[in-house]
Amino acid sequence: MSSQAVFVLFNGMAQGMAFFLVAAGLTWVFGILKILNLAHGAFFMLGAYIAYSVGGAWPASIWTFLAVALVAAAAVGVLGYLTDVLVLRRLRNVDYHYALIATFGLMLFCEGVAKAIWGTDYFAVMPPPEVDRAIVVGGSYISVYTLFVIGTGLALYAALEIVMHRTWAGKIMRAVSNDPWMAGTVGINVPLVLMLSVVASFVLAGFAGGVLVPNQALSPHVGASFVLYAFMAVVIGGLGSIRGTFLACILLGIVESANATFMAQYGGIAIYILLAVALVWKPNGLFPAQGTT
């Protein structure tokens, strides 16, 4: 395997796992509440800013870095609870267009808050010292932080799969997703499950912001680039399907990496071709969700 191919593979996997870290919460909340949260990228951005404010630009160690990411996840989770109480809970029994408008307004509000608190300057956060280096794989230099992002994405996917398919909590969430009324008649506290699902999706957004903050310059618009790919992955994989979103993120990452390496003069065009082909071939997604799968 050539060094270019190795680079494309690892870089593509890293991009794909970065997309999945952002898309996981998006597909989670859609699968259970059937809400497409347009503000998801804004809360990812807030998670990144919180991680920067708590941990600074130079993390002391990988453990400090992860602890700061968990703090960002918890903080954004609290914001998710407030969002559910003040906004989303009021829109559960109305047309979904209202939820789209509300979350779009929430996105603009979050960006305004970020500009008011942190300004519009760009900030840079370095990776932890343990992963701030490169190794040689197949003749190509690969950042250890790249491997860290890949490992984190794979671990998150495994955790979500276990929760959704191997635990009682996952069975309850799928029951509520499939038929909230019937779930309520058998004693499940449906409002509580819906609230916890919203909070979980926001926690995932905050955690992604904390982990990916060294991935690119931090600004009030940092969420836009990630959430665009996240939406693409959710559509290609199947709305509400964690498994489909995971595979779609890998496809998007590798295609984007190959496009940048071999067809740099046509930057970004390959993923749109992939999206068009996927929509024609599998309009319901690679793994159409039945509830949340």
Side-chain angles (χ1 to χ4, degrees), residues 70-199:
L70 292 175
V71 170
V76 176
V78 172
L79 296 178
Y81 172 75
L82 295 176
T83 300
D84 182 60
V85 171
L86 298 176
V87 181
L88 299 180
R89 189 175 297 178
R90 303 168 185 266
L91 301 174
R92 282 180 189 151
N93 297 317
V94 300
D95 189 85
Y96 72 92
H97 293 96
Y98 290 98
L100 291 176
I101 294 170
T103 55
F104 179 75
L106 193 59
M107 175 190 71
L108 298 178
F109 175 77
C110 290
E111 290 184 356
V113 168
K115 291 177 182 178
I117 296 176
W118 291 283
T120 57
D121 293 335
Y122 286 79
F123 300 99
V125 176
M126 299 301 296
E130 292 89 340
V131 297
D132 191 18
R133 56 191 177 87
I135 60 174
V136 179
V137 179
S140 180
Y141 285 91
I142 305 297
S143 166
V144 178
Y145 176 71
T146 292
L147 302 179
F148 171 75
V149 171
I150 293 173
T152 304
L154 292 173
L156 177 62
Y157 170 68
L160 293 178
E161 279 288 298
I162 291 171
V163 168
M164 293 307 299
H165 299 287
R166 297 290 185 269
T167 67
W168 279 105
K171 292 178 181 179
I172 290 172
M173 289 179 186
R174 284 184 290 162
V176 170
S177 172
N178 286 325
D179 195 332
W181 180 84
M182 182 60 71
T185 62
V186 299
I188 296 175
N189 189 337
V190 173
L192 177 62
V193 172
L194 296 179
M195 182 272 290
L196 291 176
S197 299
V198 171
V199 171

